[in-house]
């Protein structure tokens, strides 16, 4: 096996490991570190992956392989097993660490404060009005709805609202059956699994959008509403989807409108926030954007200001990609990251020799190639 084959296999192995991790942790490496990645002082704990151990042995500073509130880094729990309660201050710290989501963070903090005071009133034998904590999450894909739903399950468990704190995620296919009488049974089974925690229904509007006589989505809705009423103290339902369609969903049934009175809107990520997400991906996977060979100092005025950096190329790429309706926000950033790594692997495979630093470096040319820009012979772009 020659040197080029070794480089190709090495890069493909890195990409394979990254892809497998992304499949295991849908939201991992995007929004920021979770409380599970911090010690009692709120500092990040070093990752124990083989990659981190190798770098630590080499005497280099190792960054943590941060995970979000997906809980994917935790060992799987047995069905019905209670999730350990987490200190609410740790959860607040984690919330602040998420990239973007400023409006959502504010609303979540309001909910935390409200429930905290509600608990205080009960402790002091004061009247505590019934709280409706079922929520509607609206926004485009990839904006963190599932991640925040899982986070809210942990928050409500920490505050004593929920007995277990697990999250059960379903869509229409997990609730609706194809024959009369089966949908109620299928939906009830899901609800029992979610009891004590949060039931998160993605694309919930699909339950009421069917027009055919044999569509049983409405039966699922009625089953959910009855369960919510019968178990109002130990289940929270969060429904999510596109903004306009979710409004139609809530208005389709008076029972939905009366129970879902808390709305969280998830904005699309800005280019600056997507740059942060990409940088976090790089950090967690031991990549870096190439810096200019010679950076101008304050005393050098505008010298070197015309150099187009890898950061410039990435910002252009993300700004352009974000106009695509199917881009997918944070998910889109992850896809861009993986495309760029493929282009980097193609470039390095053509080199006679490759250093460890080059294996970690992403260039503007890699980014342009992933974007589909081909340089001319005179250095321009096609």
């Amino acid at each position: 096996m020659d040197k080029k084959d070794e480089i190709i296999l090495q890069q493909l192995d890195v990409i394979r490991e990254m892809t497998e991790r992304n499949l295991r942790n849908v939201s991992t490496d995007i929004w920021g570190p979770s409380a599970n990645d911090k010690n009692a002082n709120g500092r990040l704990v070093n990752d124990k992956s083989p990659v981190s151990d190798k770098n630590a042995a080499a005497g280099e500073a190792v960054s943590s392989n941060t995970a979000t509130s997906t809980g994917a880094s935790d060992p799987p729990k047995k069905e019905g097993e209670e999730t350990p309660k987490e200190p609410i201050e740790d959860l607040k710290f984690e919330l602040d660490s998420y990239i973007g989501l400023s409006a959502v963070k504010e609303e979540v903090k309001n909910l935390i404060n409200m429930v905290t005071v509600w608990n205080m009133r009960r402790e002091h034998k004061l009247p505590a009005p019934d709280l409706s904590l079922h929520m509607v999450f609206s926004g485009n894909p990839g904006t963190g709805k599932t991640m925040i739903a899982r986070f809210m399950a942990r928050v409500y468990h920490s505050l004593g609202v929920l007995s277990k704190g697990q999250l059960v995620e379903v869509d229409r296919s997990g609730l609706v059956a194809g024959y009369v009488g089966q949908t109620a049974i299928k939906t009830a089974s899901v609800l029992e699994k979610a009891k004590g925690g949060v039931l998160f229904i993605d694309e919930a509007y699909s339950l009421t959008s069917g027009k055919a006589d044999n569509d049983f989505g409405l039966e699922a809705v009625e089953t959910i509403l009855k369960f919510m009423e019968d178990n109002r103290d130990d289940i929270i339902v969060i429904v999510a989807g596109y903004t306009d369609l979710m409004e139609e969903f809530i208005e389709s049934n008076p029972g939905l409108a009366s129970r879902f009175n808390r709305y969280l809107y998830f904005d699309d990520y800005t280019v600056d926030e997507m740059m942060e997400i990409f940088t976090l991906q790089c950090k967690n996977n031991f990549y870096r954007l190439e810096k200019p060979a010679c950076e101008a100092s304050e005393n050098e005025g505008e010298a070197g200001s015309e150099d187009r950096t890898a950061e410039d190329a990435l910002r252009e790429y993300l700004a352009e990609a974000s106009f695509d309706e199917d881009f997918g926000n944070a998910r889109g950033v992850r896809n861009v990251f993986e495309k760029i790594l493929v282009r980097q692997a193609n470039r390095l495979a053509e080199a006679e020799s490759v250093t460890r630093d080059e294996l970690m470096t992403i260039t503007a040319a890699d980014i342009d190639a992933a974007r589909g820009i081909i340089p001319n012979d005179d250095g321009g772009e096609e």
Side-chain angles (χ1 to χ4, degrees), residues 3-20:
K3 186 66 175 178
K4 290 183 179 179
D5 291 334
E6 290 180 6
I7 294 171
I8 292 172
L9 289 176
Q10 185 176 10
Q11 287 296 89
L12 289 177
D13 190 53
V14 171
I15 294 172
R16 176 186 58 78
E17 290 180 1
M18 255 182 38
T19 303
E20 288 178 354

Side-chain angles (χ1 to χ4, degrees), residues 32-38 44 66-69 73 90 94 97-98 154:
S34 71
N36 295 329
D37 297 310
K38 307 181 190 76
L44 293 172
T66 56
T68 60
S69 63
S73 59
D90 287 356
E94 177 181 338
S97 74
Y98 293 156
R154 294 161 57 203

Side-chain angles (χ1 to χ4, degrees), residues 283-317:
K283 178 181 178 182
N284 291 342
N285 293 283
F286 298 93
Y287 287 91
R288 65 172 70 95
L289 293 174
E290 183 181 41
K291 298 293 184 182
C294 182
E295 295 190 20
S297 66
E298 292 183 3
N299 296 330
E300 291 173 333
E302 296 297 321
S305 62
E306 296 180 359
D307 293 338
R308 183 170 174 271
T309 66
E311 183 175 341
D312 294 332
L314 177 62
R315 183 174 292 277
E316 292 170 9
Y317 189 2

Side-chain angles (χ1 to χ4, degrees), residues 29-151:
D29 301 336
I30 292 180
W31 286 277
S34 71
N36 295 329
D37 297 310
K38 307 181 190 76
N39 60 22
N41 296 321
R43 295 187 178 183
L44 293 172
V45 180
N46 281 343
D47 178 37
K48 299 302 181 183
S49 67
V51 175
S52 296
D53 289 340
K54 290 178 183 176
N55 285 277
E60 296 185 5
V62 180
S63 64
S64 297
N65 178 18
T66 56
T68 60
S69 63
T70 59
S73 59
D74 300 328
K77 297 178 178 61
K78 296 179 181 179
E79 187 172 319
E81 181 179 350
E82 181 177 340
T83 303
K85 290 185 178 181
E86 303 167 67
I88 196 63
E89 291 304 319
D90 287 356
L91 291 172
K92 289 180 179 179
F93 181 89
E94 177 181 338
L95 180 65
D96 287 334
S97 74
Y98 293 156
I99 295 171
L101 303 173
S102 57
V104 171
K105 289 177 183 178
E106 183 177 353
E107 288 300 318
V108 170
K109 289 177 181 177
N110 290 342
L111 283 169
I112 291 174
N113 292 337
M114 184 183 68
V115 174
T116 300
V117 172
W118 182 78
N119 283 335
M120 290 179 182
R121 289 182 62 87
R122 294 184 64 183
E123 290 173 2
H124 287 82
K125 310 301 182 182
L126 291 171
D130 290 338
L131 291 177
S132 178
L133 300 175
H134 309 297
M135 290 179 281
V136 179
F137 288 2
S138 62
N140 291 324
T143 48
K145 294 187 291 295
T146 303
M147 183 266 297
I148 291 295
R150 194 177 299 273
F151 179 80

Side-chain angles (χ1 to χ4, degrees), residues 27 29-32 68 95 97-105 139-148 265-278 280 318-319 321-323 327-334:
S27 300
D29 301 336
I30 292 180
W31 286 277
T68 60
L95 180 65
S97 74
Y98 293 156
I99 295 171
L101 303 173
S102 57
V104 171
K105 289 177 183 178
N140 291 324
T143 48
K145 294 187 291 295
T146 303
M147 183 266 297
I148 291 295
Y265 177 72
F266 291 70
D267 287 308
D268 288 341
Y269 285 97
T270 65
V271 174
D272 285 339
E273 290 166 348
M274 289 189 286
M275 291 288 291
E276 286 188 65
I277 292 169
F278 190 95
L280 187 59
L318 292 175
S322 63
F323 283 104
F327 177 62
N329 286 284
R331 297 174 194 170
V333 176
R334 186 170 62 243

